[in-house]
Amino acid sequence: MKLIKRILLALVLLFILIQCYFFALILWWTSHNPSSTSFMRHQLAIIRETKPDAQLQKQWVSYDRISNNLKRAIIASEDANFREHDGIDWNAMEKAYQKNSKKGRVVSGGSTITQQLAKNLFLSGQRSYIRKGEEFIITFMLEAAMDKERIFEIYLNVVEWGNGVYGAEAASRHYYGISAANLSPAQAARLAVMLPNPRYYDVNRGSSYLQKRTDLIVRRMGSSTLP
């Protein structure tokens, strides 16, 4: 019995130390830019299994050097209540749960921009209740340490936009040959729509769904409120 208690205590202490490490990194990133993320490193390792010399396409740019068109499009497509919620959009999660239950499979995630950033920075793409719980903890850490603009700036620079393509600047140059500052509303909306499945859309750019959803986001962008 004592051995079990000691093991449990050790696990609790390890959990606390891991959370402290995560929070220390988040505090550092309030004023310093992350050079990579857990998700980037994981995907690069997969790519290098067939291309040993592969490098990721990524280039950090400041918040004011990213088109407001892209910011508005992402909020319209991914997280309409980004400015208002505390990191978790409970209503969106409930709607996603109901939709998934009706379909009998996961068709909607309901994750906010902050949740997506938490996952990208620290976690893997695997789905489990434990990972989701950790995602919630990191999400609240991000919201406690950073303002919305900083959260969005990091997100825009680290989110995946294709096979080995990360961040708004690399995506803009990969798909359109221009900088992220010069994206038109239609170009921005198309990039935003790609986010849930970027590697698929990287090789299926003529998707009819992609075009239909892009047209919808263009119409919604005007109501998006930026941080």
Side-chain angles (χ1 to χ4, degrees):
M1 194 68 178
K2 288 184 178 180
L3 178 59
I4 294 175
K5 288 182 178 179
R6 288 176 182 175
I7 292 173
L8 290 174
L9 178 60
L11 290 173
V12 169
L13 290 174
L14 178 61
F15 175 80
I16 292 172
L17 287 174
I18 291 172
Q19 307 317 306
C20 289
Y21 170 71
F22 287 166
F23 193 56
L25 280 178
I26 289 170
L27 290 175
W28 174 255
W29 288 331
T30 58
S31 56
H32 298 78
N33 301 329
S35 58
S36 67
T37 68
S38 174
F39 193 83
M40 284 182 191
R41 293 187 291 272
H42 177 71
Q43 291 302 316
L44 181 58
I46 293 174
I47 294 171
R48 284 181 172 173
E49 289 177 2
T50 54
K51 297 179 180 179
D53 298 327
Q55 297 294 328
L56 300 180
Q57 298 178 53
K58 60 186 179 73
Q59 180 182 343
W60 188 281
V61 290
S62 61
Y63 189 77
D64 58 3
R65 289 177 57 198
I66 300 173
S67 169
N68 282 345
N69 288 325
L70 183 60
K71 298 168 191 171
R72 293 183 189 282
I74 290 175
I75 288 175
S77 181
E78 294 288 296
D79 189 358
N81 299 316
F82 177 59
R83 276 192 59 179
E84 285 72 39
H85 61 62
D86 59 0
I88 310 293
D89 189 335
W90 300 104
N91 289 331
M93 287 194 67
E94 182 178 356
K95 289 178 181 178
Y97 174 77
Q98 292 173 351
K99 188 174 182 179
N100 294 336
S101 298
K102 186 176 181 180
K103 294 288 185 178
R105 57 190 174 89
V106 177
V107 295
S108 178
S111 294
T112 65
I113 286 170
T114 315
Q115 285 177 271
Q116 293 176 43
L117 179 59
K119 179 179 67 176
N120 287 345
L121 286 173
F122 294 107
L123 306 174
S124 70
Q126 296 178 344
R127 294 181 178 181
S128 70
Y129 288 115
I130 293 176
R131 199 227 67 182
K132 197 67 177 179
E134 183 63 78
E135 178 188 299
F136 273 38
I137 294 171
I138 297 170
T139 294
F140 289 127
M141 289 181 187
L142 286 166
E143 291 278 344
M146 300 179 183
D147 61 27
K148 292 286 188 177
E149 182 175 310
R150 181 57 176 167
I151 290 171
F152 203 17
E153 180 182 36
I154 297 176
Y155 174 89
L156 288 164
N157 277 284
V158 303
V159 70
E160 183 186 34
W161 249 302
N163 194 31
V165 182
Y166 291 86
E169 186 70 15
S172 300
R173 297 189 181 281
H174 179 71
Y175 292 105
Y176 300 115
I178 61 175
S179 71
N182 297 322
L183 289 166
S184 70
Q187 290 170 333
R190 195 173 184 85
L191 287 179
V193 173
M194 294 176 69
L195 284 174
N197 201 356
R199 275 168 271 159
Y200 173 81
Y201 290 122
D202 193 359
V203 296
N204 293 277
R205 302 184 192 186
S207 164
S208 59
Y209 171 82
L210 183 61
Q211 187 56 55
K212 290 178 183 177
R213 178 72 177 170
T214 295
D215 294 340
L216 175 63
I217 295 304
V218 168
R219 295 194 295 271
R220 290 181 177 176
M221 285 167 56
S223 60
S224 297
T225 306
L226 301 182

